[in-house]
Amino acid sequence: TFHCDGGTCGGIGKIGGDLNSNGGTVAPGNATGRLTVDGNFTQGASSTLALEIGGLNEGNEHDKLVVTSAADLAGVVAVELTDGFAPSSGATFDVLDYGTFVDYGFQFDFSQAGGAASWNTSQFSTNGTLSFASGAGVLGDFSQNGGVDAADYVVWRDNFGTNNTLAAFMRNQFYNTLTVFMSNQFVP
């Protein structure tokens, strides 16, 4: 059994046995990649599974954790968009494979991936997938507070012209807003 009891444990390849994380961060890949646990993966309440998504290709552009036996998750599953990637609505990412899955009260953290309103997590405990559903949130709600207000302007202003993940998400939302607006206009 390998123990990740602090710091970050990750990389690519295979761990020959169980992986227990208690207070650590498990991060598949070197940037992005695939990590296989040939046994059980147990994540404690003070631990994080950190998943990076920078494209559609599993293992090359987004992380994947493969657990050959049981995946028992508490703590946090943190998702981060990388390399300026802005997924289109409906894009699905297979980030976790397992023999069996037990939810011990884990929570998602999408603060580095456009906010929770942008993601569909309904299939995660069934088949390990996450889907981007930008239409689930309020278009223009860059501060992710549930409405469009002055806070969104501040987030937009502070990120305008940058190439970070939030700016990519905002560009994608603006494009979707403009497309909806233009498709609803009547031109004689």
Side-chain angles (χ1 to χ4, degrees):
T1 299
F2 182 81
H3 293 273
C4 182
D5 293 335
T8 300
C9 307
I12 57 174
K14 182 187 264 187
I15 295 173
D18 296 342
L19 172 59
N20 294 337
S21 179
N22 190 14
T25 298
V26 173
N30 298 322
T32 57
R34 179 182 175 128
L35 179 64
T36 300
V37 176
D38 193 10
N40 298 310
F41 172 57
T42 303
Q43 176 173 292
S46 60
S47 300
T48 300
L49 173 60
L51 301 169
E52 295 177 314
I53 298 176
L56 298 173
N57 297 321
E58 144 191 336
N60 294 323
E61 296 177 319
H62 72 78
D63 288 337
K64 180 158 188 175
L65 179 64
V66 177
V67 181
T68 61
S69 292
D72 301 339
L73 267 68
V76 175
V77 175
V79 179
E80 177 182 359
L81 294 178
T82 60
D83 300 324
F85 180 63
S88 60
S89 187
T92 298
F93 306 92
D94 184 5
V95 295
L96 179 64
D97 283 352
Y98 43 80
T100 60
F101 182 86
V102 179
D103 177 353
Y104 283 108
F106 75 93
Q107 301 291 317
F108 285 104
D109 175 1
F110 291 107
S111 62
Q112 299 298 310
S118 300
W119 291 89
N120 178 345
T121 61
S122 65
Q123 297 299 306
F124 186 77
S125 61
T126 303
N127 62 21
T129 61
L130 300 170
S131 298
F132 189 76
S134 63
V138 177
L139 292 175
D141 181 18
F142 304 126
S143 66
Q144 300 295 308
N145 66 359
V148 178
D149 54 22
D152 300 305
Y153 167 74
V154 172
V155 172
W156 174 81
R157 180 195 66 207
D158 292 347
N159 288 278
F160 183 76
T162 67
N163 200 20
N164 65 25
T165 301
L166 180 60
F169 169 71
M170 292 182 341
R171 282 191 299 275
N172 188 44
Q173 256 204 358
F174 175 76
Y175 173 77
N176 289 340
T177 304
L178 184 61
T179 302
V180 169
F181 174 76
M182 295 303 289
S183 66
N184 289 330
Q185 300 304 307
F186 176 76
V187 179

